[in-house]
Amino acid sequence: DRAWTYRVLTDQVARMGGALAALGVGKGERVAILMRDTLEAAATILGVIRIGAVAVPLSELARPDDLRESLGHAGAVVAVVDGELEPALDAIRGHLPALRDVVCFHPRAAGERDAQALCAAATPAAAMAVAPGDPALLLYSAGFADEAHGVRHDHASVVAASESFAVNYLGLTAGQRVFAVARLSSAFGLGAGLLFPLLAGARALLLPVQPHSRTLLAAIAAFAPDYFLTTPSIYGQLARDVVATGAPPPLTGVKRAIAGGEGMPDKLIPRIRAALGADVEVGYGITEVLQLALAGIAADDARPGACGRPLAGIETRVVDDDGRSVGPDEIGTLQVRAPSMCTGYWTGLDTPA
């Protein structure tokens, strides 16, 4: 429905940075972002990073108890939220002593800080001088179900992940179009859907609503992406609904179709090819490396369950319980080493675990 140029985005990012600085947000402090995947959410994440603070994107589907745990663990000093999501935060604010301010886009109640008004009145912030090892992101991984684990990424890891995945693997260049159907609160969505396209000078499509097939098909037709990235579940949903409605294959025009974020069922691959018109490339990634670590074409003759080869700059090995490399057809633990590896887990202190 809307589009921002790089010039407009730069201005909005600088104004959001200025608004947060005016609220006293300092270098290294954590700012939570509880928003749908809107242009404003993108500007907020980048605005936090611009002033040397740490962006903490959180899922819009998180329950109040989950938000309380994540916000408390992160020690967020400010939360930027969509007005429709603010009630979930209201329910837990009394349990978050570190949280100084809540800023709302489209506030629904009197007395709430209006993010748009603050940005309009703010002096645009200059980019803070940072070192490559300074923290930029704190991501809460779905891989830890028992307790909050914040994964710390510095500025250098974002650039390294982009170089490995977007540049060397995808071949992403300026002007190309990227549609990543994964939320900005996830490493997969944040990287592929926002940070990497911007670093390449490409165009990114953000989807604020939940990804139902009708919406996705309309977006694909209108945007004509060069790269389409989503989870196997969404590919399966699309394939099923395209077949059911008799719609033409929607992905015949894409250069690359990538699946990540969860395991790919082997039986789904030929269904995707037949219904959607694309050879899907399956990838394996973890929040700790910010993006896919392994990826490759899911060919018919590939070993079932294979999830590709290591991307450029990424080292992998499979070891036994004693740390010794195992042979072919032996079960072991996958170890990954990458330039984009996180700096550690957030402990609530200023040093990583």
Side-chain angles (χ1 to χ4, degrees):
D1 296 331
R2 297 183 295 152
W4 280 0
T5 63
Y6 275 80
R7 184 184 301 278
V8 172
L9 177 63
T10 300
D11 179 67
Q12 293 297 319
V13 168
R15 289 185 176 279
M16 174 54 74
L20 292 171
L23 293 176
V25 176
K27 186 175 181 179
E29 290 192 302
R30 278 76 57 205
V31 176
I33 299 98
L34 180 63
M35 302 178 68
R36 297 170 300 122
D37 285 2
T38 58
L39 294 170
E40 288 79 12
T44 300
I45 292 169
L46 297 170
V48 172
I49 296 171
R50 184 178 182 85
I51 61 171
V54 180
V56 189
L58 300 173
S59 172
E60 69 202 80
L61 301 179
R63 298 168 299 181
D65 285 348
D66 298 325
L67 289 174
R68 175 183 174 183
E69 184 175 21
S70 298
L71 286 162
H73 184 266
V77 298
V78 172
V80 184
V81 303
D82 281 334
E84 64 188 59
L85 302 176
E86 204 272 340
L89 202 53
D90 263 349
I92 58 171
R93 284 191 69 176
H95 302 281
L96 301 170
L99 189 64
R100 303 193 299 255
D101 283 293
V102 175
V103 178
C104 292
F105 279 95
H106 308 294
R108 295 188 171 190
E112 293 178 347
R113 287 188 181 273
D114 187 325
Q116 289 173 305
L118 289 175
C119 289
T123 300
M128 172 72 70
V130 295
D134 285 343
L137 297 167
L138 184 61
L139 304 176
Y140 281 88
S141 172
F144 297 96
D146 54 341
E147 59 181 303
H149 275 73
V151 180
R152 295 164 48 111
H153 278 286
D154 57 24
H155 291 260
S157 73
V158 174
V159 178
S162 178
E163 188 72 19
S164 174
F165 177 66
V167 176
N168 288 306
Y169 183 71
L170 291 184
L172 182 62
T173 58
Q176 291 184 315
R177 297 176 298 279
V178 181
F179 186 15
V181 188
R183 310 316 273 178
L184 295 180
S185 56
S186 70
F188 187 36
L190 181 60
L194 179 66
L195 301 178
F196 304 159
L198 294 183
L199 283 168
R203 297 173 63 186
L205 176 65
L206 300 178
L207 189 70
V209 299
Q210 291 301 307
H212 300 298
S213 291
R214 181 179 298 179
T215 305
L216 292 179
L217 292 173
I220 292 167
F223 188 60
D226 296 296
Y227 300 93
F228 182 75
L229 307 93
T230 191
T231 62
S233 296
I234 297 295
Y235 276 112
Q237 168 191 310
L238 277 174
R240 181 184 66 248
D241 292 341
V242 165
V243 170
T245 59
L251 298 181
T252 54
V254 303
K255 297 180 184 297
R256 309 278 287 276
I258 312 294
E262 60 192 37
M264 169 67 81
D266 296 324
K267 294 181 180 179
L268 183 56
I269 293 170
R271 288 175 49 205
I272 294 171
R273 183 186 301 119
L276 305 184
D279 279 312
V280 66
E281 303 174 39
V282 179
Y284 167 81
I286 51 176
T287 302
E288 285 80 354
V289 299
L290 195 58
Q291 202 42 238
L292 300 185
L294 311 171
I297 289 287
D300 291 329
D301 58 352
R303 174 171 295 200
C307 52
R309 299 180 181 278
L311 303 190
I314 295 179
E315 303 174 68
T316 61
R317 65 182 181 184
V318 182
V319 300
D320 61 20
D321 291 342
D322 296 319
R324 294 187 294 264
S325 295
V326 302
D329 301 316
E330 293 186 49
I331 294 174
T333 298
L334 175 67
Q335 294 183 336
V336 178
R337 181 161 58 190
S340 63
M341 185 64 70
C342 65
T343 57
Y345 297 108
W346 176 251
T347 62
L349 304 172
D350 287 333
T351 55

